[in-house]
Amino acid sequence: MQEPVEPPSAAHGPEAAAAPSGADGTRDGGPRDGGQADGGQAELDRLRREVRDLRGKLLAHPLISQAQGMLQERYRLPDAQTAFALLKHCSQQHNLKLRSLASAVVSVPRPDDERGPWFPGRTGRTPPPLRFLPGHRPDKVNRSTVLKQVLHQALTFTDAEMGDLQTLEPAVGLRMEHHHGLSAEFLDFFAVVGEGTSCALAARRRVRVVADIATDAAISEPAREMILAVGSRTAHSVPMLSAADRTVGVFSLHLPRAGQDLTRPQATAVDGLAVQAGRWLDWHRRTVLLNALEDLHRHGKDLRDDPSRQLTD
């Protein structure tokens, strides 16, 4: 399999720049003394963001390399650089992260007929409404904007100061997408979420899970230590489900006191938010992502038939 010809710093799509408040991985603090202190903290925050961004790209690097090799073989492309250019072009045209498109290439079954469309007979789908994003057309809004707003609204509803949101990638698992108020160490540890966490349990059970971090037997000891270190004692992990009841992601709210439950209005608001987000994410995956794969297939066939052809819209 060909190694990527681009360095890890290029392995991202157009959404990578969209980061939520608090995305530098630091805990929110109070006022700082003096402009000099502010300047030093800003530089520290910038460096932390750069380190986290680089780590994220290094995690995506093997997946993108695997997708490159599959495309190079499937369309008989001359080299890995051409395969990377094909991936990058389609991710930009459809406003997708390069990592997300590469994950789909790896996980979605290859076309049955490599001369015809990848998904024959597919019809358009109407996007579900996003009532928490008034003024935005659900078929035009950016995926990163939706995810950022989901976490923001959940934190606002519950007065929580810490939270995170992961989406489920078939080739990877639960991957961190957005966060607020959490340490850089926490974000590194949970960049890809495995078993032994309340969010993994919520994803598997497809119901909201409330966990006492200090005592819950379902939480692994390394995860427990990391979560307690950021000041979280109770976690509410809420799955985002498709209309067919499949998990597409999870967001978690971290509260500082043991046994800290949500009020009935808070629980209703959070659960309703998860329903809207889950159905929209499923629509996005089944529409925007498949559109990108179909375009990638079309361009790949063109390059196979005419290697000198230029990638165009």
Side-chain angles (χ1 to χ4, degrees):
M1 182 177 296
Q2 296 288 336
E3 289 295 320
V5 296
E6 297 283 348
S9 60
H12 60 88
E15 288 186 354
S21 174
D24 57 354
T26 60
R27 297 286 299 277
D28 292 343
R32 301 184 180 95
D33 295 331
Q36 184 175 0
D38 285 347
Q41 184 63 40
E43 177 64 12
L44 180 59
D45 291 347
R46 184 188 66 79
L47 291 172
R48 283 172 170 162
R49 283 194 298 270
E50 287 184 359
V51 169
R52 286 201 61 253
D53 188 46
L54 180 58
R55 285 172 177 164
K57 291 164 187 172
L58 288 171
L59 284 173
H61 191 265
L63 184 66
I64 293 169
S65 178
Q66 185 179 358
Q68 282 180 277
M70 293 174 69
L71 295 177
Q72 189 175 354
E73 177 272 329
R74 183 177 302 170
Y75 302 115
R76 297 192 288 278
L77 302 178
D79 49 40
Q81 184 174 6
T82 305
F84 183 86
L86 177 58
L87 273 171
K88 187 174 181 180
H89 175 81
C90 291
S91 72
Q92 291 174 339
Q93 289 299 308
H94 294 271
N95 201 18
L96 292 168
K97 289 182 179 179
L98 186 61
R99 184 198 73 225
S100 298
L101 185 56
S103 178
V105 168
V106 170
S107 61
V108 173
R110 66 187 298 154
D112 291 333
D113 177 8
E114 299 214 346
R115 305 305 303 184
W118 194 333
F119 308 102
R122 186 168 64 101
T123 58
R125 293 171 176 262
T126 302
L130 292 172
R131 290 184 292 276
F132 60 87
L133 273 175
H136 290 75
R137 284 183 52 180
D139 59 333
K140 298 296 184 182
V141 66
N142 183 281
R143 178 177 178 273
S144 185
T145 298
V146 171
L147 297 180
K148 177 181 177 181
Q149 189 65 13
V150 167
L151 184 58
H152 171 75
Q153 291 277 1
L155 293 169
T156 301
F157 289 151
T158 59
D159 296 322
E161 295 184 355
M162 297 179 290
D164 57 79
L165 183 151
Q166 305 96 24
T167 56
L168 185 62
E169 293 186 12
V172 178
L174 286 172
R175 183 188 285 273
M176 185 73 71
E177 292 268 10
H178 286 299
H179 47 84
H180 183 81
L182 299 167
S183 69
E185 292 78 13
F186 181 101
L187 299 171
D188 287 342
F189 187 89
F190 294 110
V192 176
V193 179
E195 293 299 317
T197 62
S198 60
C199 50
L201 194 60
R204 187 170 68 251
R205 291 182 177 175
R206 303 190 299 279
V207 296
R208 180 160 53 92
V209 169
V210 183
D212 185 319
I213 303 304
T215 63
D216 198 316
I219 299 177
S220 70
E221 288 306 318
R224 191 190 319 279
E225 180 179 350
M226 184 60 64
I227 299 170
L228 288 173
V230 298
S232 170
R233 181 61 192 269
T234 301
H236 291 256
S237 295
V238 187
M240 296 177 285
L241 306 177
S242 70
D245 205 36
R246 289 189 296 269
T247 299
V248 295
V250 178
F251 60 85
S252 295
L253 307 168
H254 296 279
L255 305 175
R257 299 193 305 276
Q260 194 169 349
D261 207 352
L262 304 181
T263 66
R264 185 182 296 273
Q266 286 175 332
T268 299
V270 164
D271 290 343
L273 183 65
V275 169
Q276 292 182 62
R279 293 184 178 182
W280 187 90
L281 285 170
D282 184 58
W283 167 84
H284 186 274
R285 180 178 295 175
R286 292 173 174 272
T287 304
V288 177
L289 185 58
L290 295 190
N291 288 345
L293 289 177
E294 196 69 84
D295 276 358
L296 185 148
H297 183 50
R298 176 171 57 86
H299 287 306
K301 290 186 296 181
D302 289 344
L303 290 171
R304 180 177 60 196
D305 296 338
D306 181 6
S308 65
R309 191 182 185 102
Q310 297 295 311
L311 290 170
T312 57
D313 296 351

